[in-house]
Amino acid sequence: MNTLDFSIVTQSWPYLWSGLLFSLALTAAAFVIGMVLGTCLALVQHFEIPVFAQIIRGYVAVIRSIPLILVLFWFFFLVPIVLGHLSGNGRPIPIGATYTAFITFGLFEAAYYSEIIRVGLRAVNKGQFEACQALALSTYDTYRHIVLPQVLRVASPIILSQTIILFQDTSLVYVLSLTDLLGAASKLAQLNGRLVEMYLVVAVAYLAISSAASQCVAVLRKRYALATSR
Amino acid sequence: MHRETSSNAAQSGAIVVVESLVKRFGAFTALNDVNLSVGKGEKIVLCGPSGSGKSTLIRCINHIEKHDGGRIIVDGTELSNRLADINSVRCETGMVFQSFNLFPHLTVAENCMLAPMKVRGISQADARDRALGLLRKVRIQDQADKYPAQLSGGQQQRVAIARALCMQPKIMLFDEPTSALDPEMVKEVLDTMVELARDGMTMVCVTHEMGFAREVADRVVFMDRGSIVEEADPETFFRAPRTERAKGFLNQIIH
Ligand SMILES: Nc1ncnc2c1ncn2[C@@H]1O[C@H](COP(=O)(O)OP(=O)(O)O)[C@@H](O)[C@H]1O
Ligand SMILES: [Mg+2]
């Protein structure tokens, strides 16, 4: 058996680092898009706005039943064709792998986050709404200052768990020929034949980041236990 | 009988007038032809068996429940479906709930500051001054920067009273404010309410605390099965109730 040689890892550090940065950037962007859009989707369903609520329910059901990798494919190949048709000349308009990844991950996460928030909205105590009514708060202020902050606090551990899964899923961008942390490691491993070292290092990196985030989940749970119990 | 009382009060400058009020939940009639009128500065204690419609009545007065028939006029504004009317009535009526309903993610002071800032449009500094002033009044100013969950039930209910008062309402509605409290905390909340009464606040209180009723109520209103059955001053009502239903009810709460 070969002895392990980690010098290869230090040599190729810049490449791994850029892969990691891409993974983190994609996670952050998908988180922001997903949370903003997901909150909107959840509110439309919560208020049962006709037609839109049904469309969104369908959208969420479809996204949640399809593997992310398939959504990436569809988005990458279909959207340029659709855009081409819309623009009139019929020729596909490529939107590029990076944009595809950011948009697809954002839309995909929005479906998951919206479910978490929708359930959270239903769980808010009826008395909170009545207190807001009694104080003459508008619907906007009620949701902006009372309901949503409570939902986000209660749901923050689940949201963060979902985001850890998202971070791991960013490795799927290899189907778009983009290079994230795992992608960078596999390319290097193929080149230099040091598969074991490369995959070990990457596993440790994923483990470190995910368990740090899990620690945050635990801290959040504790911190908000106080501000959410009544 | 109670009709006469109502129209008398209406003539002498009533601040809340409820006329022929009907409220249904589906096929069930929770309030059936209720007439009540509350004069400025008057203190009314509403009592009656569970399910008789006490909560529903005071919740109709600030439109947390929408009534199905009759009229409700609060400080000259008749409750309709117009948002402007509903809001102006809600601004004039503070409400205290059995289960406090404080905002758990906001500090005590923030609980008190939010509505005055958002609804009355006063500045943050003014809102904080006002909140601290009223928290002092309910003797809880040293807890201003804690979260509700860090307070006892009695303290939480006093915060809820202060929060309602921060909107500077003309009428305070109380729905069994002491029923969810441990016995040793009932007094601190009742004392706060007695003080509020002394300051001349108009109050409608659903409560079974007879001591409180004797001390502050101008009138006790007894409800049963969605109607007002009897109205009298507290001494008369507790000593010599006229109706059998009121007698039965008083026997129950004494024993
Ligand atoms: N939201 C509701 N839906 C259906 N029935 C209700 C609702 N709220 C109250 N009721 C019914 O109306 C009646 C009066 O209730 P309530 O005003 O809460 O009585 P009280 O406060 O005197 O105990 C009860 O029979 C109750 O079951
Ligand atoms: Mg009740």
Side-chain angles (χ1 to χ4, degrees):
Chain A
M1 195 191 150
N2 291 347
T3 49
L4 295 177
D5 175 9
F6 284 99
S7 65
I8 191 74
V9 174
T10 32
Q11 282 163 32
S12 47
W13 182 246
Y15 191 56
L16 285 175
W17 180 246
S18 71
L20 175 63
L21 284 186
F22 181 82
S23 296
L24 290 174
L26 181 54
T27 305
F31 174 79
V32 172
I33 299 173
M35 280 303 289
V36 172
L37 189 60
T39 304
C40 297
L41 297 185
L43 284 172
V44 171
Q45 291 185 76
H46 183 72
F47 285 111
E48 290 172 3
I49 296 169
V51 186
F52 291 97
Q54 280 80 20
I55 293 173
I56 288 168
R57 206 156 293 150
Y59 169 79
V60 171
V62 167
I63 292 286
R64 279 166 41 103
S65 52
I66 297 179
L68 175 54
I69 195 162
L70 198 54
V71 182
L72 279 169
F73 269 129
W74 280 113
F75 214 83
F76 192 56
F77 293 114
L78 270 187
V79 171
I81 296 173
V82 172
L83 283 179
H85 276 291
L86 287 180
S87 74
N89 67 9
R91 216 173 301 137
I93 300 173
I95 50 174
T98 311
Y99 278 124
T100 303
F102 279 65
I103 295 169
T104 313
F105 272 80
L107 292 177
F108 191 82
E109 287 307 306
Y112 281 85
Y113 291 139
S114 82
E115 276 301 281
I116 297 170
I117 293 165
R118 190 179 62 82
V119 172
L121 284 169
R122 279 200 318 217
V124 173
N125 192 295
K126 198 166 112 286
Q128 295 289 303
F129 291 96
E130 291 178 356
C132 291
Q133 287 181 319
L135 291 166
L137 286 170
S138 66
T139 306
Y140 173 81
D141 284 329
T142 299
Y143 277 81
R144 164 80 178 73
H145 296 287
I146 303 302
V147 178
L148 281 176
Q150 288 185 47
V151 169
L152 294 181
R153 276 170 167 78
V154 175
S156 61
I158 316 172
I159 289 171
L160 202 47
S161 304
Q162 174 63 32
T163 309
I164 296 171
I165 300 174
L166 162 68
F167 172 66
Q168 294 162 0
D169 280 350
T170 55
S171 55
L172 292 176
V173 295
Y174 77 88
V175 301
L176 304 177
S177 308
L178 292 172
T179 308
D180 73 316
L181 177 58
L182 181 59
S186 13
K187 279 185 197 164
L188 290 169
Q190 307 290 332
L191 273 175
N192 56 36
R194 289 287 175 184
L195 275 78
V196 178
E197 289 88 341
M198 278 301 171
Y199 287 135
L200 261 178
V201 166
V202 171
V204 169
Y206 275 109
L207 183 69
I209 292 171
S210 295
S211 51
S214 298
Q215 285 300 310
C216 289
V217 174
V219 170
L220 281 180
R221 267 187 210 285
K222 244 204 205 128
R223 156 102 70 78
Y224 291 136
L226 186 68
T228 51
S229 62
R230 293 171 349 108
Chain B
M1 179 73 201
H2 55 257
R3 259 172 213 285
E4 283 170 27
T5 327
S6 301
S7 51
N8 286 345
Q11 280 155 17
S12 60
I15 193 162
V16 178
V17 180
V18 174
E19 271 178 20
S20 315
L21 186 68
V22 176
K23 171 67 192 174
R24 299 187 194 90
F25 293 108
F28 176 76
T29 304
L31 293 176
N32 188 14
D33 190 30
V34 169
N35 293 275
L36 177 73
S37 149
V38 185
K40 255 200 186 83
E42 199 179 9
K43 289 97 181 106
I44 290 192
V45 163
L46 261 181
C47 64
S50 170
S52 56
K54 308 177 296 292
S55 299
T56 307
L57 174 56
I58 64 168
R59 288 155 64 88
C60 281
I61 292 176
N62 67 357
H63 209 263
I64 288 184
E65 300 285 0
K66 187 176 169 301
H67 56 285
D68 297 299
R71 306 203 311 158
I72 298 172
I73 301 157
V74 178
D75 195 29
T77 307
E78 176 166 358
L79 269 177
S80 64
N81 286 327
R82 280 184 55 222
L83 199 60
D85 292 342
I86 295 170
N87 275 333
S88 88
V89 167
R90 284 178 178 165
C91 284
E92 301 310 335
T93 51
M95 178 134 180
V96 176
F97 301 87
Q98 182 175 344
S99 50
F100 325 143
N101 295 346
L102 293 177
F103 305 131
H105 63 299
L106 300 181
T107 64
V108 164
E110 288 166 346
N111 263 275
C112 297
M113 291 159 62
L114 183 70
M117 285 163 62
K118 298 297 166 190
V119 180
R120 299 284 202 195
I122 72 174
S123 75
Q124 184 166 2
D126 290 348
R128 179 142 181 117
D129 284 350
R130 189 187 286 184
L132 293 181
L134 285 160
L135 287 170
R136 187 169 314 121
K137 194 174 153 61
V138 302
R139 281 186 287 274
I140 207 162
Q141 71 273 25
D142 47 334
Q143 316 282 343
D145 295 312
K146 288 193 179 167
Y147 286 95
Q150 292 170 288
L151 307 187
S152 73
Q155 292 175 318
Q156 289 190 48
Q157 192 61 298
R158 284 184 283 147
V159 172
I161 293 172
R163 177 177 72 176
L165 291 176
C166 279
M167 286 292 282
Q168 302 184 327
K170 294 187 176 145
I171 304 136
M172 285 289 285
L173 308 173
F174 293 85
D175 192 358
E176 304 206 30
T178 57
S179 303
L181 296 177
D182 295 335
E184 71 270 20
M185 294 170 185
V186 169
K187 189 173 177 301
E188 64 188 58
V189 171
L190 289 180
D191 286 349
T192 307
M193 291 169 64
V194 169
E195 229 170 277
L196 193 59
R198 298 242 162 86
D199 292 346
M201 178 62 78
T202 307
M203 294 163 68
V204 180
C205 314
V206 177
T207 180
H208 293 161
E209 296 290 339
M210 290 200 300
F212 173 79
R214 280 212 157 90
E215 189 168 351
V216 306
D218 297 307
R219 198 155 30 119
V220 176
V221 173
F222 174 71
M223 290 185 71
D224 192 22
R225 287 181 233 156
S227 304
I228 292 178
V229 176
E230 191 166 333
E231 279 182 60
D233 65 275
E235 244 2 273
T236 316
F237 179 77
F238 290 121
R239 194 161 24 79
R242 280 178 292 105
T243 58
E244 284 309 313
R245 287 196 260 176
K247 279 175 198 158
F249 170 75
L250 285 174
N251 273 330
Q252 264 180 1
I253 60 167
I254 289 165
H255 300 300

